[in-house]
Amino acid sequence: MNKLLIFTLAFGVFTQASAQKFMTKTGQVSFFSDAALEDISAVNKQALAAVDLDKAEVAFVVQIRGFEFEKALMQEHFNENYMHSDKFPSSKFSGTFQKATAITWPGTHEVELVGKLTIHGVTKDVRVPATLAVKGEEALLNAKFKVKLADYGIKNDKANSISEIIEITVKTPMKKS
Amino acid sequence: MRALALLLLLAASWSAHAQGLLDELETEAPKSKEFTIATFKAPRIIQGHSVEMPAKGELLFIIQHRFGRVNTGFYELFGWDQASIRIGLEYTLPFSDRFNIGFGRSSYGKTWDFFSKTKLLKQAKGGSPISLSWVSTLAINGLDWPNPNQENYFTSRMAYTHQLLLARKFNSWFSFQLAPTLVHKNLVPLSQDQNSFFALGMGGRVKVSNRVSINAEYSWLLPGQQIPRINGLEPQNAISLGVDIETGGHVFQLHITNTQAMFDVGSIAETTGRPELGDIHVGFNITRTFSFKRH
């Protein structure tokens, strides 16, 4: 019994110590939309991101209020009229990347992120192509994908019509944690 | 039994590992204060200042218009022919989003007006329950002296207001503001008139859609004061009802009111319209914001 207990605890400590986990609090998530009147773009430089190579897990948390726009009024409209950030303060992704047997670390690989994306309080299953590069103490996860506003219950506006499809770019250099 | 305990222990140990990365990340999320945005849509509720101002380094252009009284009949086209206008600029300095200056010129009294607005408290989730701003205004009457033969002083043209704006956005659709105000006029017509007197402003908005809100405003001249008359008429409390329509960079404010002046001394202390007699003005404000941020 005691031996087993010790083994269990040791196993736990061991797996934690060897975990290939990378993390950042300053990931960049930006989006772009071409609208009828003017293009809209914004960047968030405080995205939280983590990747666990052993379990092939990936997670993101992005605060909606952290998106910075060229114009303060746009930012206000984005928060108040489109994303309702008082009700839905953050967007999230939680999932895995496909782990083919051929993948070895360190290295740079094209992967597919498979998981749940939550925007505006609506969660959808998504598959997103991405590039994951690992070198020493650092990892870099880049992805570019499109989301449809209607899929996430984000209502377009007759007065200020914007594109139905938004392109999102993710750039997250992470450090080993 | 022991085996079961072991299994449970093992399971617990495993589930601790399987705990999602997402949960770990969420505990890392910074718990910073979140300032409330869009308590009102424009720097004016209708006549009076709101706690809003343009963002840091942004310039706001405002056109305000009040037609004459609707009870003047067809000859004046219900006020069309006696329109009064104010055009102004407001600028928030690039080094702080808490300090704003502005000026305007009104056809009413050929008045030049200047103001500064300072945000003392900003309502925030996890912070202050209200926003508190301080607004001081100066109005300089530009009309010819009624009696040019006597000695006239430039300072006699000047009048001031000092205001505290206490506002709270209660939820996404309702905001309310109180504005205790001190008005000072350097020159008053009668010796028994008070140079300084008090008013209490009240204003609120109810948002009815993403782009539209209904606004109301009341400026109450506190009773028991000898407030200087305007052309022999007793000043009335200003009451206004309006609607804000917001498009991308513009806010259109359409309203009905019993006051025709569009600077604080004028609307607070020089309103003579009596709405119950039909002394109502139709008016609008249009604001446009210009951004000078470098990229």
Side-chain angles (χ1 to χ4, degrees), chain B residues 168-221:
Chain B
R168 176 166 166 82
K169 185 178 186 175
F170 287 88
N171 51 46
S172 62
W173 57 270
F174 181 64
S175 304
F176 189 75
Q177 178 180 286
L178 278 178
T181 308
L182 169 68
V183 182
H184 181 90
K185 291 187 155 189
N186 279 350
L187 181 69
V188 294
L190 304 174
S191 57
Q192 67 265 36
D193 283 340
Q194 287 175 228
N195 289 89
S196 295
F197 46 94
F198 294 94
L200 180 63
M202 289 160 256
R205 75 134 188 210
V206 173
K207 215 176 156 204
V208 291
S209 80
N210 270 352
R211 303 275 168 186
V212 180
S213 75
I214 308 286
N215 295 6
E217 202 179 54
Y218 187 69
S219 173
W220 180 38
L221 290 161

Side-chain angles (χ1 to χ4, degrees), chain A residues 128-174:
Chain A
V128 175
T131 310
L132 179 57
V134 177
K135 195 181 169 190
E137 300 289 291
E138 281 168 21
L140 179 65
L141 183 64
N142 286 349
K144 196 176 249 192
F145 60 103
K146 291 183 172 165
V147 297
K148 218 174 140 190
L149 293 186
D151 286 350
Y152 295 91
I154 301 167
K155 280 201 191 110
N156 214 333
D157 193 300
K158 277 180 208 136
N160 240 36
S161 183
I162 57 169
S163 165
E164 267 299 318
I165 308 264
I166 307 284
E167 187 177 70
I168 300 180
T169 307
V170 177
K171 249 185 231 170
T172 49
M174 294 174 275

Side-chain angles (χ1 to χ4, degrees), chain B residues 77-175:
Chain B
L77 199 57
F78 309 100
W80 179 273
D81 298 343
Q82 289 119 8
S84 164
I85 191 166
R86 178 183 179 273
I87 290 184
L89 287 173
E90 310 186 2
Y91 183 56
T92 302
L93 300 180
F95 53 80
S96 169
D97 62 355
R98 286 174 182 265
F99 188 66
N100 176 228
I101 51 172
F103 75 95
R105 173 60 156 71
S106 300
S107 57
Y108 175 96
K110 302 193 183 302
T111 304
W112 299 87
D113 71 274
F114 303 85
F115 71 84
S116 74
K117 192 188 286 186
T118 310
K119 285 186 186 176
L120 303 172
L121 282 175
K122 293 199 274 187
Q123 186 183 342
K125 212 183 267 181
S128 169
I130 59 158
S131 294
L132 177 65
S133 294
W134 161 40
V135 181
S136 284
T137 74
L138 161 67
I140 303 173
N141 186 295
L143 292 172
D144 286 337
W145 294 115
N147 186 353
N149 299 321
Q150 70 179 35
E151 196 175 353
N152 290 301
Y153 302 97
F154 182 75
T155 49
S156 301
R157 298 182 173 281
M158 297 158 81
Y160 313 84
T161 66
H162 303 285
Q163 228 173 13
L164 281 177
L165 309 178
L166 297 97
R168 176 166 166 82
K169 185 178 186 175
F170 287 88
N171 51 46
S172 62
W173 57 270
F174 181 64
S175 304

